Amino acid sequence: MRRKISNHFPLLFFLLSVFLLLMYKWPHLSLPFFQDEAWVYGKAVRMMADKNLSLLPNALDDELVRGHPLLFHFIFAAILKVLGNSVFNAHLIALGVSVSFLFLLFYYFETRVGRWSGWVLTSLVMIQPVFLAQCGLVLPEILLTSLVFLSIWFFSEGRFRLYFFTAACAVLVKESAVVLFVALSLFRLFNHKKLGSNFSSLSLHLFRINLPLVPWLMYLMVYKMQTGNFFFHEHIEALS
């Protein structure tokens, strides 16, 4: 009996840690939007919740969206339409995304690495200043981290359909997810001899790795048709 109870200790400690995190962040959910969420993401999400949900570039003013894909805005706005379009609810959704990421990490490491590893790792994540700062803010980084983590997970297990879905969603949340495709492509290139693949097999694998970029490239084509540029004009002007 004691042994059965002790087997659940990692989960109990993890749930306690999550509860303490929620207690710590709860008073912050009513605070006004701050910095990037005040003039870009939070404002855009609430405006989309007031209007029609859309993934098209012209769904919101370009100066507000700043050329970013709109999957992040779409997800948050859709939930806000159900919960109510308020700053508190927007922060609550962000906190829910962060807690979901912690559950994802805990499950993966407890089932694939070893007992207590999930709680130890999630505890280390929870005490990071950058995580504590962002886990209740309306910013795409933690949702992006979750999708990139899932993409690597599915890629490592050869589950291509799930990899395609999560990787495509990642790059439509924020275009900085292109780093994922570069990293996986380099990994495949450096290990092709070890994996015993020939040129045709390597080419096929590289094609499959980068296939989730297609939805983002389609978004850029639509963005070009609607705005005249592939990227936000201020970002282009900043290049030298």
Side-chain angles (χ1 to χ4, degrees):
M1 182 66 179
R2 289 181 179 179
R3 189 173 182 178
K4 287 184 178 180
I5 295 175
S6 65
N7 287 338
H8 295 292
F9 278 171
L11 177 60
L12 293 174
F13 276 91
F14 167 70
L15 293 175
L16 177 60
S17 301
V18 171
F19 176 75
L20 293 175
L21 175 68
L22 293 174
M23 293 293 292
Y24 170 74
K25 293 298 296 184
W26 195 264
H28 303 164
L29 301 184
S30 298
L31 295 176
F33 287 145
F34 173 72
Q35 205 166 15
D36 275 4
E37 64 168 358
W39 66 285
V40 182
Y41 293 105
K43 184 178 180 180
V45 161
R46 294 198 65 196
M47 286 186 67
M48 182 176 283
D50 283 335
K51 300 179 179 179
N52 294 324
L53 300 175
S54 176
L55 293 172
L56 295 176
N58 63 355
L60 295 168
D61 184 79
D62 193 39
E63 296 294 328
L64 184 62
V65 177
R66 305 183 69 79
H68 295 304
L70 295 181
L71 183 58
F72 170 80
H73 307 73
F74 182 93
I75 293 171
F76 271 61
I79 302 175
L80 281 177
K81 279 185 173 292
V82 177
L83 297 182
N85 191 1
S86 67
V87 173
F88 177 88
N89 285 337
H91 284 151
L92 183 63
I93 297 167
L95 184 58
V97 170
S98 302
V99 170
S100 299
F101 173 60
L102 293 175
F103 272 91
L104 176 65
L105 286 179
F106 177 82
Y107 173 77
Y108 180 86
F109 283 91
E110 279 292 303
T111 56
R112 284 163 174 77
V113 178
R115 193 163 174 261
W116 290 101
S117 61
W119 175 68
V120 171
L121 181 73
T122 52
S123 297
L124 291 174
V125 171
M126 276 188 249
I127 63 175
Q128 295 300 313
V130 66
F131 180 82
L132 284 174
Q134 290 202 8
C135 67
L137 298 181
V138 185
L139 298 173
E141 278 72 21
I142 294 182
L143 177 59
L144 176 62
T145 303
S146 303
L147 290 167
V148 169
F149 180 79
L150 282 170
S151 300
I152 297 173
W153 178 357
F154 295 139
F155 174 81
S156 66
E157 295 184 350
R159 301 160 74 178
F160 175 72
R161 291 182 182 178
L162 290 174
Y163 162 75
F164 176 87
F165 176 76
T166 53
C169 287
V171 78
L172 289 176
V173 164
K174 196 169 184 181
E175 54 274 77
S176 53
V178 296
V179 175
L180 168 69
F181 306 101
V182 175
L184 292 180
S185 297
L186 290 175
F187 170 80
R188 197 67 183 79
L189 282 170
F190 292 150
N191 289 275
H192 77 280
K193 290 185 178 179
K194 184 178 178 181
L195 296 172
S197 58
N198 53 32
F199 178 76
S200 60
S201 176
L202 176 63
S203 300
L204 178 60
H205 277 93
L206 291 176
F207 172 76
R208 296 178 74 182
I209 286 171
N210 292 281
L211 190 59
L213 283 169
V214 171
W216 179 57
L217 295 176
M218 293 173 63
Y219 176 86
L220 292 181
M221 293 296 293
V222 176
Y223 187 82
K224 168 72 173 177
M225 289 166 45
Q226 293 181 347
T227 66
N229 296 307
F230 282 110
F231 303 102
F232 184 56
H233 65 89
E234 278 190 20
H235 298 163
I236 298 174
E237 293 165 5
L239 297 174
S240 60

